[in-house]
Structure formats: C-alpha cells, structure tokens
Amino acid sequence: MLRYLFSLLIFANLGTVLSAKLKRVKSGTNHKLHDDVHLVVNKVGPFNNPAETYRYYSLPFCQEHDTTDDLKKPSREAALRHKQKLGEAMVGDRRESSPYEINFYDNVDWRQLCKVNLQPEDIKKYQTAIENSYYFEMYVEDLPLWGYVGDVKEIDPIIEQYSGSSSIYLFTHLKFIFGVNDNKIVSALVTTDKRKALDITDSSKPLEAQFTYSVKFIDSKLEWKDRMSSYTHSYFARGFEIHWLSIVNSFVLVLLLVSFLAVIMMRILKNDFSRYMEIDEETVNEEESGWKLIHGDVFRFPHHTSLFCAAFGAGVHLIACSFIVLFLALTGVISTTKRGSILSGVVICYCLTSFIGGYVSTQLYFKMNGKLWVRVLLLNSLLFPFPVVTVFSWVNSVALANKSTSAITIGAGFTVALLFLFVSFPLTIVGGLMAKNYGNADFNAPTRTTKVAREIPFEDSRILIRISEFLVAGILPFTAIYIELHYIFASMW
C-alpha cells in the first residue's frame, strides 16, 4: 500500500519536474541596492468579463530585451512558467517571466524594451484586444499591477459601437512606480502614457513599434503587512471585489424572513400537533382541509430512501462547508485579497469535511430502517461531485478550444482528483462507519404516521403543480441572489 501511494505521489509531481518551472519570488524580501526585481506577467483578457483570460504572450508582446549601451548584462529569458499554487492554477493564472530589467532603487527615465515590426496579423490581434477593452496583469512578488493594452478614440455613444472613423491606439510605454518601506516593496503601480501611444488603425501593412518603459522607486509610509490596502480604491480592484455588505445584507434578510415564517407556523400548528398526538386515527374529523388532510403522511418514508438520505447528507455537508469557509475568511485564515485562495480553501474544506455528509446520510438511512448503507455512502460521495465534474468538463473543453487560461491545468485537475480519492471519499466512509456504530437510529416524528397512505386526488387538476408555478415560485429568490452570486463567482474564477 505504501509503495502504491509513493508511486502516485511521484506521478503527480512528474509534470512539475519535467516542466522545469521557475521558483516563486517570495513576498516581503529585504532587497539590497541594485538587486534584481522580478516582474512577472500573468494574463490578458476583457475587463468586462474577468472569467475570459488568455496567456500574456498570446498577444505579440516583447519576449526579449534589446541590448543597449547602458545595459551590458544578458537579457532575461521571457515566457518561462512560474510555479503556482493550486488556487492560482484553478482561477486561470499563468505566471511567466518577463524581459523587463528592473533593479532595486535604480530609477530609469526611459529605456527601450524592444523594437519590432508588427505584421498585419499581429496588428489585428492588438486591434481585437483593444476593441474588447483588454487589460493585462503583472505581478511584483505578490503585488498585482493592471493596465489597459490600448485605447479607442471617437466611440459612437448612440449605438455604443466603434464607428468607422475611430482610431485605435496601442500603449507602447509603461511607467512602473514602486513604493519602498524598510527595503521591502509595499506598493506597485503601472501607468500608460497616451502621448506615446501608437496608432494601429491601419492593419493592411506592417508597422514598426518601439516598446519602452520607465521605472521609479519612491519612499512609502505604508507598512508591509498593510500592502494590500492600497488596492481598496483601485479601479481594477473595484471591478473584481466581492460585495460583502450586500451579501451579508441578503443573507440576514433571508434568515429573518425564514425565522418570522417559522415562528408564525409554529404558533399556528402547535395546538394542532398536540391534538393529533392525542386522538385516535378513527376519530379524525373527515371535514378537515389543507395540511391537516395529510398530517399522517408527512413523515412517511419515501420510496427512494437511499437517494433521499444521500441528498440530505450532501446538503448538510455543503452548508457546513460554506459556514466554515466564511468563518476562516472572516478570521483571516483564508486570504480574501488573493484570487484563488477562496477557491482552494473551498476545495480543501469540502474534502476535509466529507465525513459530515457520510455521517448524516447514513444515520438518517438507519432511522428509515435501511439496510444497504454502503450504497448510500457511494451516492452521497458522488451526488455533488458528479454533476460538478460534468458541467466543468464541458466548460473546460470550451476554454481549451479557445486557448483560454480559464481551463484548468492537468496538474491542478490531477491534484483535485487525488484529494477526492484519498481524502474526501475515505472520510465519507469514516463518517458512515461512525453513524453505523455510534449513531442514534430512533426516528421520533412530531406526528404519527398513518398505516395507509392517503390517495392523491389526481382527478382534480387544480392540485397538479404546473411548470409555470415552479417558475413563479423561484423568480423572487433567484433575482435576490443572482447578482451577488455573480460577484462571488467572478471573484473565485
């Protein structure tokens, strides 16, 4: 068994070894004067759709630094992959090296990065990116930098489309500003210079482009531990942030409505519950209506007991996992400022809390006098992951077909599969065994169940639930949570 596990671990790390990825640059490094500052490029994509991202070098950016008189040392090799964490790989990060030559506290007023001849197909790539408001993302240690690839002038405000007379400009000059406190980089900012933008409206012929950059280091009073607070008022950060206040407000509102409804229902039904527990089945008034007609069938065991118990256990598991993740995020254990940390926390928390679903589903199954408890555990372990993997496979295939970085990497997918096989599934079995050996198998319903099930009057068409009634009942809660779920998913993916 140990040999088998060891072989799996070797196979899981084989791709990382063969790819020879660069080591991550540790954040909070104490730099010395003239030390190399590594600028890492990540991805590009439309600002209005954060889920659609592509490799930074999917656009024809410079991949090597021109050799000049003031830069004698060899150019840094670009487009080399960096090692990433599980959450970063799952949200579509593809960090790679860049050719920018930046040294600690060496200010640069102007430096040429490269001079290239853009072919018509390269110009069309830039035009498409700029027309779709593409932004780029870079990193210095763990500090993100965002900027637009270019700009379009003379936008028609009536039809909200680019008119035929509009001009497309490519930003060819980037200005990097780094804040330093106690020899640590605590802030990073990149700006573009519209005065040095290149007009690429005409894509019928090649065009020479000169990419340049400048670097400036400034002293900052910002502490390193508070470095992420500088992104609070960032235009790009505001576009990706989670509306925590609205989410909490909606959550509290739902809890209050449910609580009020429960209090009203309990006060109305309390007397009826006690009365039906005292009288015999034969003395029930035949003229009763509403819920009282089926009070003896409410707690009757369903036909598909295994599926019901598995679904109940999966729901309790997801609720417990959600509350644990929220608690860890509020206490700072899971960072909410790093994209991917929440998603990786959800995956790990779901695997570690799998015993909850196994315990709850098995205990309820035994209360319903079930015998095939192993089948319940299998259903419980697959009831949520199977549809998620099915939908994910389709979405991931579309992302792969479009060469988007939103597609999960093979290494990340293999890691998640190993977590499910060797952590989630065994813990589900452990929870089932605990329920079998130590769980309470007595089912104490608040009302008695009649021996004969009441016949459903199918001849009355008014009782049949129509599809329109399903839609009407779901419109209100769906509209209440849709916007906030959009922000949550956008921050995770």
Side-chain angles (χ1 to χ4, degrees):
M1 183 66 180
L2 292 176
R3 179 183 296 181
Y4 177 68
L5 293 176
F6 184 69
S7 300
L8 285 174
L9 291 175
I10 292 178
F11 182 72
N13 291 282
L14 183 60
T16 305
V17 175
L18 294 178
S19 58
K21 296 180 181 179
L22 296 178
K23 186 178 180 181
R24 294 175 60 92
V25 179
K26 185 179 179 181
S27 59
T29 302
N30 284 307
H31 294 278
K32 297 180 181 179
L33 196 62
H34 311 304
D35 277 354
D36 290 336
V37 176
H38 295 276
L39 184 65
V40 179
V41 297
N42 188 21
K43 56 190 176 183
V44 295
F47 177 77
N48 294 322
N49 186 14
E52 181 185 354
T53 56
Y54 305 92
R55 287 183 61 243
Y56 179 84
Y57 291 110
S58 62
L59 295 178
F61 288 115
C62 299
Q63 296 194 23
E64 60 180 14
H65 201 296
D66 287 349
T67 303
T68 58
D69 295 337
D70 62 334
L71 191 62
K72 300 294 183 180
K73 55 184 178 182
S75 176
R76 294 175 181 173
E77 188 174 359
L80 295 179
R81 292 283 302 275
H82 278 244
K83 293 182 179 179
Q84 297 184 155
K85 298 179 180 179
L86 175 62
E88 295 171 346
M90 294 182 67
V91 297
D93 284 0
R94 300 294 185 271
R95 302 191 185 189
E96 300 175 277
S97 60
S98 72
Y100 289 94
E101 298 285 352
I102 301 176
N103 300 97
F104 188 69
Y105 249 108
D106 288 349
N107 294 330
V108 178
D109 295 330
W110 182 91
R111 179 178 291 169
Q112 177 176 303
L113 180 63
C114 70
K115 183 181 290 186
V116 296
N117 286 322
L118 298 177
Q119 300 301 316
E121 56 270 17
D122 296 332
I123 298 176
K124 290 180 180 179
K125 288 183 179 180
Y126 277 124
Q127 287 179 344
T128 302
I130 295 171
E131 289 174 352
N132 288 279
S133 301
Y134 268 43
Y135 72 98
F136 61 84
E137 185 178 61
M138 301 179 177
Y139 279 91
V140 172
E141 297 179 358
D142 61 345
L143 299 175
L145 300 91
W146 297 293
Y148 282 109
V149 175
D151 191 17
V152 179
K153 293 187 177 180
E154 299 181 11
I155 299 179
D156 192 335
I158 298 178
I159 61 176
E160 296 184 356
Q161 292 181 351
Y162 302 110
S163 60
S165 60
S166 63
S167 299
I168 303 176
Y169 291 91
L170 172 66
F171 296 144
T172 58
H173 182 81
L174 299 180
K175 182 178 181 180
F176 298 99
I177 303 175
F178 301 104
V180 179
N181 186 0
D182 194 21
N183 293 328
K184 296 180 181 179
I185 299 178
V186 296
S187 64
L189 176 67
V190 59
T191 60
T192 54
D193 193 345
K194 295 185 178 180
R195 296 173 300 177
K196 299 179 181 180
L198 178 65
D199 189 348
I200 59 171
T201 307
D202 186 8
S203 61
S204 61
K205 57 183 178 180
L207 181 65
E208 185 179 66
Q210 184 184 34
F211 292 90
T212 60
Y213 66 98
S214 59
V215 182
K216 185 177 181 180
F217 287 86
I218 59 175
D219 293 328
S220 175
K221 296 182 180 179
L222 184 66
E223 296 292 335
W224 183 79
K225 62 180 181 179
D226 302 324
R227 64 195 182 282
M228 293 299 175
S229 62
S230 60
Y231 295 97
T232 304
H233 304 290
S234 172
Y235 173 74
F236 286 91
R238 287 201 305 270
F240 303 141
E241 69 179 357
I242 307 175
H243 292 198
W244 290 108
L245 181 60
S246 299
I247 294 172
V248 173
N249 181 54
S250 301
F251 183 72
V252 172
L253 182 61
V254 171
L255 285 181
L256 288 176
L257 292 176
V258 173
S259 301
F260 292 154
L261 181 62
V263 170
I264 294 173
M265 292 295 294
M266 290 304 297
R267 294 188 64 177
I268 294 175
L269 303 178
K270 184 177 180 181
N271 295 332
D272 292 335
F273 279 150
S274 60
R275 183 165 64 91
Y276 280 108
M277 290 297 292
E278 296 174 357
I279 62 178
D280 296 330
E281 184 177 332
E282 292 77 9
T283 60
V284 177
N285 190 355
E286 296 294 337
E287 297 182 358
E288 292 176 338
S289 61
W291 72 271
K292 301 176 184 178
L293 292 173
I294 58 172
H295 78 279
D297 299 294
V298 173
F299 294 98
R300 189 180 304 280
F301 298 156
H303 294 292
H304 303 284
T305 309
S306 300
L307 183 60
F308 177 80
C309 295
F312 182 78
V316 174
H317 179 198
L318 290 176
I319 292 175
C321 181
S322 301
F323 276 103
I324 292 174
V325 171
L326 288 175
F327 175 77
L328 294 178
L330 292 174
T331 55
V333 177
I334 296 179
S335 175
T336 57
T337 58
K338 296 181 181 179
R339 293 193 64 186
S341 60
I342 296 179
L343 184 57
S344 60
V346 168
V347 173
I348 295 175
C349 183
Y350 178 85
C351 293
L352 294 178
T353 56
S354 296
F355 68 92
I356 297 177
Y359 182 89
V360 172
S361 59
T362 305
Q363 184 184 42
L364 181 60
Y365 185 69
F366 279 120
K367 286 185 177 181
M368 295 184 176
N369 302 321
K371 304 298 181 182
L372 303 176
W373 62 278
V374 176
R375 182 172 64 180
V376 174
L377 289 178
L378 293 176
L379 285 173
N380 176 259
S381 61
L382 296 176
L383 196 60
F384 178 72
F386 180 75
V388 169
V389 171
T390 302
V391 175
F392 163 77
S393 299
W394 167 252
V395 175
N396 201 61
S397 300
V398 174
L400 285 174
N402 291 276
K403 298 181 180 180
S404 173
T405 60
S406 299
I408 193 172
T409 60
I410 297 177
F414 192 72
T415 302
V416 174
L418 288 179
L419 286 173
F420 175 77
L421 291 175
F422 295 102
V423 179
S424 178
F425 186 72
L427 286 178
T428 304
I429 302 299
V430 171
L433 292 174
M434 291 176 61
K436 180 177 180 296
N437 296 323
Y438 306 106
N440 183 13
D442 296 332
F443 187 78
N444 299 318
T447 60
R448 294 185 300 107
T449 302
T450 58
K451 297 178 180 179
V452 180
R454 184 179 179 86
E455 183 179 359
I456 300 176
F458 285 102
E459 65 277 8
D460 190 353
S461 60
R462 291 175 299 177
I463 301 180
L464 298 179
I465 301 177
R466 301 177 180 87
I467 297 179
S468 59
E469 294 176 350
F470 276 113
L471 296 178
V472 172
I475 285 177
L476 183 60
F478 177 77
T479 54
I481 67 174
Y482 171 74
I483 301 299
E484 303 310 328
L485 284 179
H486 167 74
Y487 288 114
I488 294 176
F489 292 147
S491 69
M492 295 175 62
W493 283 283

